[in-house]
Amino acid sequence: MLNIVKITDYMSEDLVSLDLKAKNKDEALKELSDLIGKSDRIKVKESIYKALLEREVLGSTGIGKGVAIPHAKTDAAQGLTIAFGVSREGIDFKSLDKEKVKIFFVFASPFKDSQVYLKVLARISRLIRDEKFREKLLSCGNSKEILDCINKEEAL
């Protein structure tokens, strides 16, 4: 039997924010690191922000079409953890297409979980290419709807 990696296996309703307040990239990374820091799998919450900043130095994780996937490998994470955020206004995230980012998948992973980390990154990247899926995410009204929406999309 195939060992299928599901995005929602690493998420929970308390790690979803549908109203990010950040006005710029730095504020967004701080707010997202605070959000993912709510997880009990994150042991050193302050390290997440630093790790996300360090990853952004390599190049923006704003991948285009209004989506960013800030991610970092850090031993502050005891297991792969994913948070999700929406900025209603959109944030200049220095994306390749110059579009403001509204949808954020942020994740942290310990160094030892490279296989799962890469599978999840690839899976999210594939799903968010679909404009209808992005629109569905933006129309969700609460955390449960976000998780249900991702679950349904993964089942297709």
Side-chain angles (χ1 to χ4, degrees):
M1 176 145 164
L2 284 172
N3 185 6
I4 306 239
V5 175
K6 289 187 67 197
I7 297 164
T8 51
D9 289 345
Y10 304 97
M11 297 176 75
S12 60
E13 289 183 33
D14 62 323
L15 301 182
V16 173
S17 172
L18 297 180
D19 190 25
L20 295 174
K21 303 293 185 213
K23 299 291 181 212
N24 60 49
K25 185 175 183 174
D26 194 55
E27 288 175 8
L29 291 171
K30 179 72 177 109
E31 192 171 351
L32 292 165
S33 65
D34 289 345
L35 180 62
I36 201 168
K38 291 178 181 180
S39 171
D40 58 4
R41 288 184 291 219
I42 305 297
K43 292 303 167 198
V44 187
K45 296 171 186 350
E46 302 75 33
S47 297
I48 299 300
Y49 175 62
K50 184 174 179 271
L52 290 174
L53 282 176
E54 287 170 1
R55 169 55 191 86
E56 288 298 318
V57 169
L58 302 175
S60 177
T61 55
I63 61 171
K65 300 186 188 300
V67 179
I69 309 176
H71 56 280
K73 288 185 180 181
T74 171
D75 287 327
Q78 288 193 311
L80 179 60
T81 308
I82 303 172
F84 177 86
V86 170
S87 167
R88 298 292 170 195
E89 301 293 312
I91 296 169
D92 178 4
F93 216 74
K94 311 292 184 239
S95 300
L96 293 174
D97 66 358
K98 309 276 190 253
E99 226 179 278
K100 286 189 173 187
V101 172
K102 291 187 173 188
I103 298 171
F104 293 88
F105 282 92
V106 59
F107 56 99
S109 173
F111 289 101
K112 65 178 172 51
D113 279 355
S114 287
Q115 285 299 112
V116 176
Y117 176 87
L118 292 173
K119 284 181 182 177
V120 169
L121 182 58
R123 193 165 184 99
I124 291 171
S125 299
R126 183 180 57 78
L127 289 177
I128 52 90
R129 278 189 222 135
D130 180 1
E131 185 177 351
K132 284 188 175 88
F133 176 61
R134 295 191 310 271
E135 288 170 2
K136 284 180 201 170
L137 287 173
L138 290 172
S139 70
C140 288
N142 60 50
S143 305
K144 183 179 181 331
E145 286 180 19
I146 290 289
L147 296 180
D148 288 347
C149 179
I150 295 168
N151 260 329
K152 281 182 190 149
E153 202 66 27
E154 286 191 291
L156 298 178

